[in-house]
């Protein structure tokens, strides 16, 4: 409800008070310098690099959509540049993601493959309060801005693993 309210207020303020604003909706970010090890990507990478058992809070079947942090930076730079055009439509909301639903277990396995590890995976709970499947539709951003992510999931994960491998070895 808070997100929907924010988007609505952005549109109203933009239209009513000529506020030059846009709502950017991005999928789950991942990349280096994310030290919130409660998030699946940094958590699994840390477990893999430390040879620790991976403990999942759900069955691993929930799906998630992602966006590599470098693509998120690109999105912000692109929109700031485009917002200088006189025909830019302010107050709108745009989605940015890879538009791929990967199960949590698929993400875990991709990371383990990149790390060249085989680790035990323990299912510790069933998070019934979590949204089971999340994927963004980026058609509007593609059509309006000809936007496509520059990094695939695998490319972003490889760079992210390389970052944590370097950071955690220090």
């Amino acid at each position: 409800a808070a997100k929907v309210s924010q988007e609505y207020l952005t549109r109203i303020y933009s239209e009513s008070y000529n506020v030059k604003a846009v709502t950017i909706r991005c999928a789950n970010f991942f990349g280096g310098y994310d030290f919130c090890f409660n998030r699946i990507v940094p958590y699994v990478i840390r477990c893999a690099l430390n040879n620790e058992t991976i403990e999942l809070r759900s069955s691993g079947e929930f799906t998630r959509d992602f966006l590599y942090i470098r693509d998120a930076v690109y999105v912000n730079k692109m929109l700031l540049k485009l917002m200088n055009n006189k025909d830019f439509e302010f107050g709108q909301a745009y989605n940015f993601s890879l538009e791929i639903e990967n199960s949590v277990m698929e993400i875990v396995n991709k990371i383990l493959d990149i790390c060249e590890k085989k680790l035990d995976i323990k299912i510790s709970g069933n998070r019934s309060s979590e949204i089971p499947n999340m994927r963004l539709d980026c058609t509007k951003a593609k059509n309006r801005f000809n936007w496509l992510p520059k990094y695939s999931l695998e490319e972003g994960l490889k760079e992210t693993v390389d970052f944590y491998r370097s950071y955690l070895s220090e």
Side-chain angles (χ1 to χ4, degrees):
K3 289 179 182 182
V4 171
S5 297
Q6 176 263 325
E7 290 176 19
Y8 185 66
L9 285 172
T10 299
R11 177 172 275 186
I12 289 172
Y13 270 75
S14 184
E15 292 172 358
S16 300
Y17 302 108
N18 200 28
V19 172
K20 295 182 177 183
V22 65
T23 297
I24 302 170
R25 293 189 214 120
C26 291
N28 294 296
F29 296 127
F30 72 95
Y33 295 98
D34 182 356
F35 301 112
C36 182
F37 291 103
N38 290 329
R39 287 195 262 276
I40 191 69
V41 172
Y43 169 71
V44 172
I45 293 171
R46 186 180 68 181
C47 288
L49 297 177
N50 292 331
N51 294 309
E52 299 171 354
T53 297
I54 297 166
E55 192 170 330
L56 298 181
R57 302 180 302 228
S58 71
S59 66
E61 296 174 9
F62 290 172
T63 61
R64 297 291 178 260
D65 196 357
F66 289 91
L67 186 66
Y68 185 46
I69 196 66
R70 289 181 186 256
D71 275 326
V73 170
Y74 167 70
V75 162
N76 281 273
K77 286 181 176 181
M78 175 193 72
L79 285 173
L80 285 170
K81 184 177 179 180
L82 289 171
M83 289 171 77
N84 288 321
N85 296 341
K86 61 182 176 189
D87 60 338
F88 187 86
E89 197 174 343
F90 292 102
Q92 297 295 306
Y94 299 96
N95 293 337
F96 298 93
S97 79
L98 292 170
E99 290 187 292
I100 300 170
E101 276 182 282
N102 285 283
S103 72
V104 170
M105 195 61 76
E106 287 172 321
I107 296 298
V108 169
N109 288 324
K110 285 178 190 291
I111 293 168
L112 291 176
D113 286 346
I114 291 167
C115 294
E116 299 178 343
K117 301 282 181 141
K118 300 280 186 212
L119 298 175
D120 290 333
I121 301 170
K122 178 182 173 187
I123 306 297
S124 67
N126 186 3
R127 288 282 187 117
S128 60
S129 63
E130 286 191 32
I131 298 170
N133 303 303
M134 288 194 264
R135 184 177 152 268
L136 297 177
D137 178 352
C138 302
T139 303
K140 186 175 174 183
K142 288 176 181 177
N143 291 340
R144 295 251 171 94
F145 311 127
N146 201 27
W147 180 82
L148 288 172
K150 294 182 183 295
Y151 291 85
S152 69
L153 179 63
E154 290 75 13
E155 290 167 327
L157 285 174
K158 184 177 180 330
E159 283 192 15
T160 304
V161 167
D162 289 345
F163 167 81
Y164 285 106
R165 185 174 279 133
S166 173
Y167 179 82
L168 294 173
S169 69
E170 293 177 2

